[in-house]
Amino acid sequence: MLTPRVVCKSSCPVRDNDLISTQPVDAVGQGASSTVDLLLGTNSEDLNFVYVPTGVADRIDSDEKICTSIASRHPHPEKLVAAYRAVHPDTPSGELFSAIMTDWMLFIPTIRLAEAHAPHAGGTYLYEFAWPSPSCGGKLRACHCLELGFVFDTLDTLGLTGPQGLAGENPPVELAKHMHQTWITFATTGNPGWSPYNTQQRSTMRIHTTWRTITDPRPVERQAWEGIR
């Protein structure tokens, strides 16, 4: 009998009260996937993929504009922006906006899923892909979709992350081989090779040319969304 394992980048399932009748993270917390091993994560600057090429990051040139842009995402946008600004005092406003939206769309929901799944029997493993793309003058950084060519070890294949795509002309092929093998190891054993996630240590593997385990990455930003997202 095969042991169920899931690799999750991110997703936004829609509750329709037919096929999906319960908020997915609530169902997971209640044990719906209690025996499933789960590997999930995000990229460090996911939404740069959207906001850099479209010029949005350049147009948001003040923290006041950030507050206006995120007003529907947080009941106290000024407090949220202030929390992020305290951690990133020199970051341009457009980049800070992208960081906030990356967290709202991807990082925080991923954390909530990990928190819901961690108490159960199935393993819960978190990663953050941090290798930066050289595209757009390096402004994309570790953006959305960039990790795919590394996960599947297809950097030599034409496509979004292939030659001259997001990964550039000379991407680190050893990183792709390492990452691809890690995903295979997880699929076959249920353990990618680092400590499982829990709410005490929040161990997360930061994936770059050098891999290292981070304890509770971005705690200030995470706490700024408590009770909100």
Side-chain angles (χ1 to χ4, degrees):
M1 182 176 178
L2 294 176
T3 301
R5 298 187 179 102
V6 175
V7 178
C8 181
K9 160 63 180 184
S10 62
S11 60
C12 295
V14 176
R15 181 173 55 180
D16 60 0
N17 292 321
D18 183 11
L19 180 64
I20 300 177
S21 58
T22 305
Q23 191 71 13
V25 70
D26 293 338
V28 169
Q30 293 162 11
S33 61
S34 60
T35 60
V36 176
D37 297 317
L38 183 64
L39 171 62
L40 66 162
T42 61
N43 294 0
S44 298
E45 293 89 16
D46 258 304
L47 288 191
N48 281 7
F49 183 76
V50 176
Y51 297 127
V52 169
T54 59
V56 171
D58 291 330
R59 291 195 294 273
I60 295 183
D61 55 8
S62 70
D63 287 6
E64 288 75 18
K65 287 185 179 180
I66 301 178
C67 291
T68 299
S69 298
I70 67 169
S72 64
R73 310 289 194 238
H74 196 283
H76 306 290
E78 293 84 2
K79 290 178 63 176
L80 181 70
V81 173
Y84 275 74
R85 179 54 73 196
V87 180
H88 309 281
D90 301 320
T91 298
S93 293
E95 290 183 27
L96 198 68
F97 167 72
S98 184
I100 289 172
M101 291 304 295
T102 290
D103 289 353
W104 181 83
M105 179 69 74
L106 297 160
F107 177 66
I108 296 302
T110 297
I111 293 298
R112 297 293 174 252
L113 180 57
E115 290 171 341
H117 191 264
H120 300 289
T124 307
Y125 299 92
L126 214 63
Y127 73 89
E128 177 188 345
F129 185 77
W131 183 80
S133 168
S135 296
C136 292
K139 292 182 179 181
L140 286 180
R141 302 176 71 181
C143 67
H144 196 61
C145 295
L146 177 61
E147 85 289 357
L148 296 178
F150 294 87
V151 168
F152 295 104
D153 194 12
T154 55
L155 294 178
D156 59 347
T157 302
L158 289 174
L160 183 64
T161 57
Q164 320 227 349
L166 290 176
E169 295 183 4
N170 297 296
V173 294
E174 289 303 316
L175 173 57
K177 294 183 185 304
H178 186 181
M179 197 166 176
H180 183 61
Q181 185 57 55
T182 298
W183 261 237
I184 291 174
T185 298
F186 172 74
T188 53
T189 69
N191 187 334
W194 60 84
S195 299
Y197 187 90
N198 59 57
T199 55
Q200 288 73 49
Q201 294 191 334
R202 299 182 183 273
S203 295
T204 303
M205 179 58 72
R206 181 163 290 167
I207 299 174
H208 203 305
T209 48
T210 298
W211 295 41
R212 63 191 181 103
T213 301
I214 305 296
T215 298
D216 194 8
R218 304 208 298 272
V220 172
E221 295 93 322
R222 175 180 58 78
Q223 292 167 10
W225 290 99
E226 288 290 343
I228 306 298
R229 183 69 168 154

